[in-house]
Amino acid sequence: MLLELILIRHGETEFNLQGRLQGGQDSPLTERGRRESVLLGQSMNRFLDRVDQWWVSPQGRARETSRLMREQIQFELPLEEVHEQTHEIRCGDWEGLSRAELDPEEVRRIHSSTSIRYPGSDGESIEDVSDRCRIVLEDWKKSLPESAVSYRTVIVAHGNWVRCMG
């Protein structure tokens, strides 16, 4: 069986341009982010012949990226399914803050270890995101049809999540 998992990070957002941490917050895609999404959808339409499964993060920036991509694809697509475990790392008390507003030493400390969580009751660590990735992989394995010769799944999510899957 040939298994393909295509991992896609959402398009550029206003917070990305401003150097702000998004985490569980959402900011809209920029014009560039929308163009990136459309171009990726056009490329997928050109180079793929089918997609068997399509999962997307519950967050707006990933949902918009997915929608724009799907609008460009002319072959039949499966229904888009939201997978709750593909959301971006939660940055706790730092969400919405710009990097300039953060203590550089604290940022280095968090980035120096995969187990240190962002501050606040809902802050996550990279290990937390990796645990969610394992859940998604288990769900994916369970979803694979036994009789399929090949199976292609697209997941539209977030940068930290995609890196943890790699």
Side-chain angles (χ1 to χ4, degrees):
M1 178 185 268
L2 174 64
L3 301 177
E4 291 179 87
L5 192 54
I6 300 172
L7 306 176
I8 299 168
R9 179 199 179 266
H10 61 79
E12 180 186 72
T13 68
E14 294 293 335
F15 271 25
N16 294 146
L17 275 182
Q18 298 165 10
R20 295 189 180 281
L21 299 179
Q22 290 183 93
Q25 292 188 6
D26 250 326
S27 83
L29 295 181
T30 61
E31 185 56 41
R32 177 182 173 181
R34 288 189 286 281
R35 269 194 328 272
E36 291 169 341
S37 303
V38 166
L39 290 171
L40 184 53
Q42 290 170 348
S43 292
M44 290 175 75
N45 187 62
R46 241 185 340 271
F47 296 108
L48 299 179
D49 60 351
R50 69 173 211 304
V51 172
D52 301 300
Q53 185 175 48
W54 193 291
W55 287 351
V56 65
S57 160
Q59 292 172 277
R61 56 196 185 266
R63 301 288 305 273
E64 184 178 4
T65 297
S66 178
R67 178 184 59 77
L68 291 167
M69 289 170 52
R70 290 172 64 92
E71 288 174 354
Q72 305 306 309
I73 298 172
Q74 295 173 5
F75 54 85
E76 188 174 339
L77 289 171
L79 290 176
E80 177 186 80
E81 298 175 64
V82 172
H83 197 299
E84 294 296 328
Q85 298 300 320
T86 60
H87 67 80
E88 179 60 291
I89 191 170
R90 296 195 198 290
C91 299
D93 296 342
W94 288 7
E95 289 192 5
L97 298 178
S98 72
R99 298 197 188 286
E101 296 173 284
L102 302 174
D103 177 353
E105 197 52 45
E106 275 299 297
V107 172
R108 269 192 290 286
R109 189 179 73 76
I110 288 173
H111 290 172
S112 71
S113 170
T114 59
S115 63
I116 298 176
R117 288 189 167 100
Y118 280 91
S121 60
D122 65 342
E124 287 185 301
S125 70
I126 290 296
E127 287 179 9
D128 295 326
V129 178
S130 293
D131 289 343
R132 290 193 283 107
C133 288
R134 281 189 277 286
I135 291 168
V136 172
L137 283 173
E138 285 303 313
D139 290 348
W140 182 59
K141 284 187 226 175
K142 290 175 194 171
S143 74
L144 298 172
E146 288 182 29
S147 60
V149 175
S150 67
Y151 202 75
R152 180 178 291 142
T153 299
V154 169
I155 302 177
V156 182
H158 306 272
N160 285 299
W161 193 88
V162 168
R163 282 188 288 281
C164 285
M165 284 289 284

